[in-house]
């Protein structure tokens, strides 16, 4: 008899661990366990989402006639860990083989490599073929390259999967329409509402459980509107295609106060737990271009995120783990300020993005990158603490995708493997791409003093603080030229403002 373990982010009917299932004899094991729910203190909505999606998926498998062993979180005999639950199942049934698809995270994959010996049972770990580039494909692509730039990887993926191609070249003559994806928000922009599911009895039961057992975790549990089945996730995605994709390109980088979802798709959480598949989403978006639903800059921009960035960061993760978890190029040591948890800050951009993160377990890319991430970079926050925060606050967060985005993309803690220069910016960028500054105590145009936008002086302090590590970067030349032209008085003012700001954070004063 075979025991087939399905993890909480493996909710795909075509997962490799089920490929040759024997409906009569095999047992499918799924378990809600303390170790997975608390190795970081996940947002309440994320746990409710995973547990509800797991229960719905188990019900679908049971309907197909499979034998389910589903262990609920509040089962009094719950062993509290995946290995403990596998051991319990092996002890109870005549199991001659445990079959599982490779976990998405190094932590669990490493642990699993010891199960066979520890549990004295044959464990088969199958490859996860839901990604479009395997770890070995990526390693082959990376081999011998000096720089691992996403753009070149993406072009190969476009060719390999024949996406938006016109014979050998890209449709439209350009591979990348990024330059057309940077419109600032315009007044009166009509942002469609996002998909909303309503909790059924299963979700309601899970929400009660999360409210009881995870009350001290970050985030709001209600209202809960995520899709929890594949059918619902498809509806959510189709709504995106019909209502938002056409504007996705133009406003990809725009932020508007009170509009957490903008023209993004909100499918990251469904892709990452297996309810949606990357290729089907890419092909559906490509079809929307061919049938005239959306323009090329929008469709290419969206496809680049999934076929390019998503696969690329996963490749980097498996190429560089476990060392990637400990890199700290700038030797950044500052603790995460309390306002990342409470949103209690006068910096309106930070307050909005953290409040929305707390409410929705979601922030869109440019909020994560240019507001929350930019602050973490220029304030010199400790990569471990920043990674912990990003891992637990977002419903789509798993280490394989979170870590390269945080360590590589926002913190430049890998010294430039993922990006050619740090994404550091002053308040001018946020002012251009959002309307947050209009309702802020600080002024984006003021550079120093109590009313100055903290991003302004923190930016220059970051540049000066890390001169030894960044001056030689060819893409930073013009920045250091500006620094060289700065008067001593100006430099002193930047340093004084930065010192005052950091000391206020350290004493928990409101900044
Ligand atoms: P859309 O903007 O509609 O994009 C479509 C899809 O493209 C996303 O669902 C996602 O699957 C993929 N995608 C887009 N950008 C990236 C990227 N940089 N890396 C990988 N995939 C991408 N994404 C996660 O899935 N999990 C994370 O934990 C995560 N952490 C992030 C942390 C930081 C600091 C940053 C800057 C980005 C992070 N991202 C993460 C990437 C991106 O912000 C989210 O995928 C996106 O915001 C999810 O919302 P969406 O589905 O509306 O995406
Ligand atoms: C994210 C998550 C949570 C919150 N809980 C569970 C769980 O109880 N059981 C489970 O099998 N998976 C859970 N997951 C997803 C896992 O953390 C995810 O499969 C691993 O991190 C992949 O390495
Ligand atoms: Fe953010 Fe500065 Fe604008 Fe305030 S002024 S919202 S702190 S960028």
């Amino acid at each position: 008899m075979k025991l087939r373990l399905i993890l909480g982010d493996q909710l795909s009917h075509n997962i490799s661990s089920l490929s040759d299932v024997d409906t009569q004899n095999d047992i499918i094991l799924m378990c809600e366990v303390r170790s997975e729910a608390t190795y970081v203190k996940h947002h309440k909505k994320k746990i409710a989402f995973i547990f509800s999606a797991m229960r719905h998926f188990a019900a679908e498998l049971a309907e197909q006639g499979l034998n389910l062993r589903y262990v609920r979180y509040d089962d009094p005999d719950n062993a509290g860990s995946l290995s403990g639950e596998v051991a319990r199942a092996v002890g109870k049934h005549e199991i001659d083989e445990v079959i599982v698809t490779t976990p998405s995270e190094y932590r669990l994959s490493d642990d699993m490599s010891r199960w066979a010996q520890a549990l004295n049972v044959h464990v088969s770990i199958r490859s996860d073929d839901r990604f479009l580039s395997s770890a070995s494909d990526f390693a082959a692509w990376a081999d011998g390259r000096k720089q691992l730039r996403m753009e070149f990887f993406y072009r190969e993926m476009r060719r390999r999967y024949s996406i938006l191609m016109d014979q050998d070249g890209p449709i439209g003559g350009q591979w990348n329409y990024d330059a057309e994806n940077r419109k600032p928000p315009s007044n009166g922009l009509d942002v469609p509402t996002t998909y909303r599911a309503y909790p059924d009895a299963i979700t309601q039961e899970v929400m009660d459980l999360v409210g009881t057992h995870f009350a001290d975790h970050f985030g709001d549990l209600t209202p809960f509107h995520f899709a929890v089945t594949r059918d619902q996730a498809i509806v959510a995605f189709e709504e995106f295609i019909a209502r938002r994709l056409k504007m996705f390109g133009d406003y990809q980088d725009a932020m508007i106060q009170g509009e957490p979802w903008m023209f993004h798709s909100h499918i990251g959480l469904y892709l990452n737990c297996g309810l949606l598949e990357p290729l089907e989403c890419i092909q559906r978006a490509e079809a929307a271009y061919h049938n005239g639903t959306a323009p090329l800059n929008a469709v290419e921009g969206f496809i680049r995120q999934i076929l390019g960035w998503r696969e690329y960061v996963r490749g980097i993760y498996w190429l560089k783990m476990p060392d990637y978890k400990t890199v700290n190029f700038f030797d950044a040591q500052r603790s995460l300020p309390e306002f990342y948890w409470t949103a209690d800050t006068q910096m309106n951009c930070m307050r909005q993005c953290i409040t929305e993160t707390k409410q929705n377990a979601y922030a869109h890319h440019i909020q994560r990158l240019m507001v929350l991430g930019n602050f973490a970079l220029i304030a010199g926050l400790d990569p471990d603490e920043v990674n912990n925060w990003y891992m637990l606050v977002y419903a789509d967060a798993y280490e394989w995708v979170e870590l390269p985005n945080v360590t590589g993309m926002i913190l430049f803690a890998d010294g430039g493997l993922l990006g050619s220069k740090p994404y550091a910016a002053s308040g001018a960028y946020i002012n251009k791409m959002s309307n947050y500054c209009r309702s802020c105590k600080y002024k984006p145009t003021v550079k120093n003093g109590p009313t100055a936008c903290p991003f302004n002086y923190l930016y220059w302090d970051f540049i000066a603080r890390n001169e030894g590590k960044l001056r030689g970067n060819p893409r930073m030349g013009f920045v250091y030229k500006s620094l060289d032209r700065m008067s001593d008085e100006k430099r002193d003012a930047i340093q004084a403002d930065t010192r005052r700001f950091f000391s206020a954070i350290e004493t928990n004063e409101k900044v």
Side-chain angles (χ1 to χ4, degrees):
M1 184 184 281
K2 293 178 180 21
L3 182 72
R4 295 173 188 264
L5 172 65
I6 308 277
L7 303 173
D9 61 352
Q10 298 183 339
L11 309 180
S12 312
H13 287 281
N14 59 354
I15 190 91
S16 57
S17 53
L18 288 180
S19 64
D20 48 358
V21 67
D22 177 342
T23 342
Q24 294 299 311
N25 295 308
D26 295 352
I27 296 178
I28 316 298
L29 173 65
M30 295 179 70
C31 26
E32 300 166 4
V33 287
R34 188 168 173 73
S35 60
E36 292 305 307
T38 61
Y39 75 94
V40 294
K41 291 180 82 172
H42 301 288
H43 194 299
K44 294 188 197 78
K45 261 193 183 119
K46 180 178 181 183
I47 302 179
F49 166 64
I50 295 285
F51 284 8
S52 178
M54 284 174 70
R55 290 185 187 192
H56 281 91
F57 185 74
E60 288 170 11
L61 293 183
E63 247 173 58
Q64 291 167 15
L66 275 68
N67 302 313
L68 257 291
R69 178 177 165 91
Y70 191 97
V71 182
R72 289 176 173 233
Y73 192 81
D74 49 8
D75 179 336
D77 296 325
N78 191 319
S81 68
L82 292 167
S83 56
E85 276 307 322
V86 170
R88 204 155 71 93
V90 168
K92 191 155 168 124
H93 306 277
E94 295 281 305
I95 303 294
D96 46 45
E97 184 182 8
V98 175
I99 298 176
V100 63
T101 294
T102 312
S104 65
E105 295 182 341
Y106 182 89
R107 162 190 69 85
L108 190 54
S109 180
D110 186 46
D111 185 42
M112 208 173 265
S113 65
R114 288 182 288 272
W115 284 8
Q117 204 177 16
L119 306 174
N120 198 23
V121 64
H122 183 64
V123 179
S124 302
I125 302 177
R126 296 182 174 178
S127 62
D128 190 349
D129 50 20
R130 296 173 303 164
F131 288 90
L132 303 173
S133 166
S134 68
S136 54
D137 289 342
F138 190 84
W141 173 78
D143 190 35
R145 281 174 195 262
K146 266 202 196 130
Q147 292 192 317
L148 303 181
R149 295 287 167 252
M150 196 290 290
E151 182 62 26
F152 299 110
F153 170 76
Y154 166 60
R155 290 179 191 180
E156 286 207 5
M157 294 294 281
R158 286 266 297 272
R159 284 198 193 92
R160 180 166 157 198
Y161 285 92
S162 199
I163 302 293
L164 292 178
M165 294 299 288
D166 183 2
Q167 293 175 348
D168 289 342
I171 285 186
Q174 255 173 265
W175 287 103
N176 183 318
Y177 290 83
D178 202 20
E180 291 173 37
N181 294 356
R182 291 178 193 148
K183 270 199 190 161
S186 45
N187 280 337
L189 194 61
D190 190 14
V191 183
T193 51
T194 190
Y195 170 83
R196 282 175 167 225
Y198 288 86
D200 63 3
I202 295 179
T203 302
Q204 198 51 61
E205 198 179 359
V206 163
M207 288 170 71
D208 292 345
L209 183 147
V210 172
T212 307
H213 293 274
F214 303 98
D216 63 335
H217 283 216
F218 175 81
D220 301 348
L221 180 56
T222 57
F224 185 93
H225 293 306
F226 291 149
V228 290
T229 64
R230 174 167 163 78
D231 286 351
Q232 288 179 336
I234 289 172
V235 174
F237 180 59
E238 284 298 332
E239 280 192 13
F240 162 72
I241 296 282
R243 303 172 65 188
R244 291 195 304 279
L245 175 61
K246 57 180 172 294
M247 304 283 261
F248 177 90
D250 286 355
Y251 294 108
Q252 203 176 336
D253 287 4
M255 300 173 276
I256 300 181
Q257 178 135 351
E259 295 288 358
W261 313 100
M262 293 299 293
F263 296 97
H264 292 267
S265 65
H266 326 135
I267 59 164
L269 74 173
Y270 310 133
L271 281 170
N272 295 351
C273 77
L275 294 183
L276 293 178
E277 303 248 329
L279 195 55
E280 68 181 346
C281 296
I282 290 165
Q283 287 172 339
R284 179 68 188 87
E286 186 182 22
Y289 165 69
H290 289 301
N291 69 26
T293 309
L296 187 56
N297 78 317
V299 171
E300 185 283 318
F302 178 71
I303 287 177
R304 185 178 352 116
Q305 307 311 313
I306 303 182
L307 186 62
W309 280 110
R310 185 172 186 269
E311 296 291 331
Y312 169 80
V313 300
R314 179 172 177 270
I316 293 277
Y317 177 78
W318 284 106
L319 192 68
K320 296 293 171 187
M321 278 299 277
D323 297 350
Y324 207 65
K325 217 171 151 57
T326 52
V327 293
N328 189 354
F329 179 69
F330 293 124
D331 194 24
Q333 305 281 347
R334 187 166 302 285
S335 289
L336 198 77
E338 188 58 21
F339 59 70
Y340 270 85
W341 304 112
T342 60
D344 191 15
T345 165
Q346 301 183 103
M347 291 179 284
N348 188 43
C349 54
M350 295 291 283
R351 184 168 64 228
Q352 295 304 321
C353 296
I354 296 165
T355 301
E356 290 172 5
T357 297
K358 211 158 165 266
Q359 289 170 340
N360 305 321
Y362 178 83
H364 62 74
H365 186 67
I366 215 71
Q367 294 176 307
R368 298 187 204 196
L369 179 70
M370 294 311 295
V371 179
L372 302 161
N374 183 23
F375 183 89
L377 170 71
I378 63 182
L381 303 187
D382 178 340
D384 277 347
E385 293 198 29
V386 181
N387 272 299
N388 177 62
W389 188 82
Y390 275 96
M391 258 308 289
L392 72 86
V393 300
Y394 294 117
D396 54 34
Y398 296 86
E399 194 181 76
W400 64 266
V401 51
E402 176 278 333
L403 184 68
N405 272 295
V406 170
T407 283
M409 199 182 301
I410 65 166
L411 297 181
F412 202 73
D414 58 10
L417 177 76
L418 200 136
S420 53
K421 74 178 184 60
Y423 268 106
S426 69
Y429 178 86
I430 296 173
N431 191 31
K432 181 177 161 216
M433 296 312 298
S434 79
N435 60 1
Y436 292 146
C437 301
R438 283 187 217 158
S439 323
C440 187
K441 182 199 143 173
Y442 302 111
K443 299 281 161 273
T445 47
V446 179
K447 311 286 188 225
N448 288 106
T451 56
C453 166
F455 283 83
N456 290 342
Y457 49 81
L458 288 177
Y459 170 78
W460 281 111
D461 190 71
F462 166 80
I463 297 295
R465 213 184 313 141
N466 295 298
E467 186 173 355
K469 291 185 170 149
L470 292 178
R471 190 182 271 277
N473 182 320
R475 295 198 59 203
M476 300 293 285
F478 71 99
V479 176
Y480 282 98
K481 271 199 188 122
S482 302
L483 186 72
D484 292 342
R485 281 197 299 267
M486 231 175 237
S487 66
D488 289 348
E489 292 76 28
K490 174 84 183 153
R491 277 181 169 238
D492 290 349
I494 288 167
Q495 235 184 38
D497 282 333
T498 303
R499 241 184 274 131
R500 179 185 43 76
F501 184 84
F502 283 156
S503 105
I505 289 182
E506 278 154 26
T507 52
N508 237 339
E509 253 174 73
K510 189 162 174 170
V511 290

mmCIF file of all heavy atoms in Angstrom, residues 163-180:
data_model
loop_
_atom_site.group_PDB
_atom_site.id
_atom_site.type_symbol
_atom_site.label_atom_id
_atom_site.label_comp_id
_atom_site.label_asym_id
_atom_site.label_seq_id
_atom_site.Cartn_x
_atom_site.Cartn_y
_atom_site.Cartn_z
ATOM 1 N N ILE A 163 5.482 31.611 -26.917
ATOM 2 C CA ILE A 163 4.496 32.554 -26.377
ATOM 3 C C ILE A 163 4.757 33.932 -26.984
ATOM 4 O O ILE A 163 5.877 34.444 -26.929
ATOM 5 C CB ILE A 163 4.601 32.641 -24.826
ATOM 6 C CG1 ILE A 163 4.395 31.274 -24.166
ATOM 7 C CG2 ILE A 163 3.627 33.684 -24.281
ATOM 8 C CD1 ILE A 163 3.019 30.685 -24.300
ATOM 9 N N LEU A 164 3.704 34.524 -27.543
ATOM 10 C CA LEU A 164 3.798 35.844 -28.195
ATOM 11 C C LEU A 164 4.963 35.871 -29.195
ATOM 12 O O LEU A 164 5.760 36.809 -29.201
ATOM 13 C CB LEU A 164 3.957 36.970 -27.162
ATOM 14 C CG LEU A 164 2.769 37.254 -26.246
ATOM 15 C CD1 LEU A 164 3.112 38.362 -25.242
ATOM 16 C CD2 LEU A 164 1.516 37.650 -27.031
ATOM 17 N N MET A 165 5.038 34.832 -30.005
ATOM 18 C CA MET A 165 6.121 34.755 -30.992
ATOM 19 C C MET A 165 5.564 34.907 -32.407
ATOM 20 O O MET A 165 4.443 34.472 -32.701
ATOM 21 C CB MET A 165 6.851 33.412 -30.891
ATOM 22 C CG MET A 165 7.615 33.208 -29.595
ATOM 23 S SD MET A 165 8.916 34.409 -29.331
ATOM 24 C CE MET A 165 10.124 33.885 -30.538
ATOM 25 N N ASP A 166 6.366 35.523 -33.250
ATOM 26 C CA ASP A 166 6.057 35.627 -34.655
ATOM 27 C C ASP A 166 7.246 34.975 -35.363
ATOM 28 O O ASP A 166 8.278 35.616 -35.540
ATOM 29 C CB ASP A 166 5.938 37.112 -35.018
ATOM 30 C CG ASP A 166 5.544 37.300 -36.463
ATOM 31 O OD1 ASP A 166 5.323 36.291 -37.154
ATOM 32 O OD2 ASP A 166 5.487 38.464 -36.895
ATOM 33 N N GLN A 167 7.087 33.725 -35.691
ATOM 34 C CA GLN A 167 8.221 32.882 -36.137
ATOM 35 C C GLN A 167 9.342 32.962 -35.104
ATOM 36 O O GLN A 167 9.114 32.626 -33.947
ATOM 37 C CB GLN A 167 8.659 33.277 -37.527
ATOM 38 C CG GLN A 167 7.555 32.936 -38.509
ATOM 39 C CD GLN A 167 7.812 33.388 -39.904
ATOM 40 O OE1 GLN A 167 8.705 34.161 -40.199
ATOM 41 N NE2 GLN A 167 6.987 32.893 -40.793
ATOM 42 N N ASP A 168 10.535 33.498 -35.477
ATOM 43 C CA ASP A 168 11.645 33.482 -34.523
ATOM 44 C C ASP A 168 11.708 34.704 -33.619
ATOM 45 O O ASP A 168 12.496 34.747 -32.675
ATOM 46 C CB ASP A 168 12.987 33.378 -35.275
ATOM 47 C CG ASP A 168 13.160 31.998 -35.872
ATOM 48 O OD1 ASP A 168 12.435 31.092 -35.416
ATOM 49 O OD2 ASP A 168 13.974 31.842 -36.792
ATOM 50 N N GLY A 169 10.928 35.702 -33.921
ATOM 51 C CA GLY A 169 11.015 36.955 -33.157
ATOM 52 C C GLY A 169 9.772 37.207 -32.324
ATOM 53 O O GLY A 169 8.752 36.510 -32.461
ATOM 54 N N PRO A 170 9.833 38.220 -31.473
ATOM 55 C CA PRO A 170 8.681 38.528 -30.627
ATOM 56 C C PRO A 170 7.582 39.222 -31.435
ATOM 57 O O PRO A 170 7.896 40.043 -32.297
ATOM 58 C CB PRO A 170 9.273 39.494 -29.596
ATOM 59 C CG PRO A 170 10.435 40.141 -30.296
ATOM 60 C CD PRO A 170 10.988 39.119 -31.236
ATOM 61 N N ILE A 171 6.346 38.932 -31.138
ATOM 62 C CA ILE A 171 5.242 39.652 -31.774
ATOM 63 C C ILE A 171 5.389 41.131 -31.469
ATOM 64 O O ILE A 171 5.701 41.504 -30.330
ATOM 65 C CB ILE A 171 3.877 39.116 -31.245
ATOM 66 C CG1 ILE A 171 3.579 37.772 -31.875
ATOM 67 C CG2 ILE A 171 2.743 40.107 -31.500
ATOM 68 C CD1 ILE A 171 2.222 37.199 -31.558
ATOM 69 N N GLY A 172 5.203 41.978 -32.464
ATOM 70 C CA GLY A 172 5.308 43.423 -32.265
ATOM 71 C C GLY A 172 6.732 43.933 -32.422
ATOM 72 O O GLY A 172 6.974 45.133 -32.364
ATOM 73 N N GLY A 173 7.696 43.008 -32.534
ATOM 74 C CA GLY A 173 9.077 43.425 -32.774
ATOM 75 C C GLY A 173 9.891 43.714 -31.525
ATOM 76 O O GLY A 173 11.095 43.925 -31.619
ATOM 77 N N GLN A 174 9.266 43.754 -30.387
ATOM 78 C CA GLN A 174 9.990 44.035 -29.139
ATOM 79 C C GLN A 174 9.715 42.921 -28.143
ATOM 80 O O GLN A 174 8.583 42.465 -28.027
ATOM 81 C CB GLN A 174 9.391 45.306 -28.521
ATOM 82 C CG GLN A 174 10.221 46.548 -28.649
ATOM 83 C CD GLN A 174 9.432 47.747 -28.138
ATOM 84 O OE1 GLN A 174 8.801 48.450 -28.936
ATOM 85 N NE2 GLN A 174 9.436 47.956 -26.834
ATOM 86 N N TRP A 175 10.749 42.552 -27.381
ATOM 87 C CA TRP A 175 10.539 41.504 -26.372
ATOM 88 C C TRP A 175 9.818 42.046 -25.138
ATOM 89 O O TRP A 175 9.113 41.326 -24.437
ATOM 90 C CB TRP A 175 11.895 40.945 -25.912
ATOM 91 C CG TRP A 175 12.569 40.076 -26.920
ATOM 92 C CD1 TRP A 175 13.616 40.427 -27.722
ATOM 93 C CD2 TRP A 175 12.249 38.713 -27.249
ATOM 94 N NE1 TRP A 175 13.969 39.368 -28.527
ATOM 95 C CE2 TRP A 175 13.149 38.299 -28.256
ATOM 96 C CE3 TRP A 175 11.288 37.798 -26.798
ATOM 97 C CZ2 TRP A 175 13.128 37.022 -28.808
ATOM 98 C CZ3 TRP A 175 11.264 36.520 -27.349
ATOM 99 C CH2 TRP A 175 12.175 36.139 -28.343
ATOM 100 N N ASN A 176 10.019 43.344 -24.888
ATOM 101 C CA ASN A 176 9.667 43.860 -23.577
ATOM 102 C C ASN A 176 9.058 45.252 -23.719
ATOM 103 O O ASN A 176 9.669 46.116 -24.352
ATOM 104 C CB ASN A 176 11.002 43.934 -22.798
ATOM 105 C CG ASN A 176 10.832 44.383 -21.384
ATOM 106 O OD1 ASN A 176 10.075 45.294 -21.101
ATOM 107 N ND2 ASN A 176 11.558 43.729 -20.496
ATOM 108 N N TYR A 177 7.867 45.432 -23.137
ATOM 109 C CA TYR A 177 7.208 46.738 -23.231
ATOM 110 C C TYR A 177 7.216 47.465 -21.890
ATOM 111 O O TYR A 177 6.323 48.250 -21.585
ATOM 112 C CB TYR A 177 5.775 46.558 -23.768
ATOM 113 C CG TYR A 177 5.788 46.158 -25.223
ATOM 114 C CD1 TYR A 177 5.964 44.822 -25.586
ATOM 115 C CD2 TYR A 177 5.705 47.111 -26.230
ATOM 116 C CE1 TYR A 177 6.046 44.445 -26.924
ATOM 117 C CE2 TYR A 177 5.776 46.744 -27.569
ATOM 118 C CZ TYR A 177 5.945 45.406 -27.910
ATOM 119 O OH TYR A 177 6.028 45.053 -29.230
ATOM 120 N N ASP A 178 8.255 47.192 -21.091
ATOM 121 C CA ASP A 178 8.340 47.744 -19.737
ATOM 122 C C ASP A 178 8.233 49.270 -19.753
ATOM 123 O O ASP A 178 7.608 49.876 -18.888
ATOM 124 C CB ASP A 178 9.679 47.321 -19.105
ATOM 125 C CG ASP A 178 9.623 47.371 -17.594
ATOM 126 O OD1 ASP A 178 8.497 47.356 -17.051
ATOM 127 O OD2 ASP A 178 10.684 47.444 -16.960
ATOM 128 N N ALA A 179 8.856 49.899 -20.746
ATOM 129 C CA ALA A 179 8.843 51.366 -20.801
ATOM 130 C C ALA A 179 7.422 51.898 -20.941
ATOM 131 O O ALA A 179 7.141 53.043 -20.597
ATOM 132 C CB ALA A 179 9.705 51.845 -21.960
ATOM 133 N N GLU A 180 6.491 51.051 -21.426
ATOM 134 C CA GLU A 180 5.096 51.508 -21.573
ATOM 135 C C GLU A 180 4.251 51.088 -20.378
ATOM 136 O O GLU A 180 3.033 51.126 -20.419
ATOM 137 C CB GLU A 180 4.493 50.935 -22.857
ATOM 138 C CG GLU A 180 5.111 51.545 -24.094
ATOM 139 C CD GLU A 180 4.639 50.872 -25.364
ATOM 140 O OE1 GLU A 180 3.458 50.485 -25.443
ATOM 141 O OE2 GLU A 180 5.466 50.718 -26.279
#
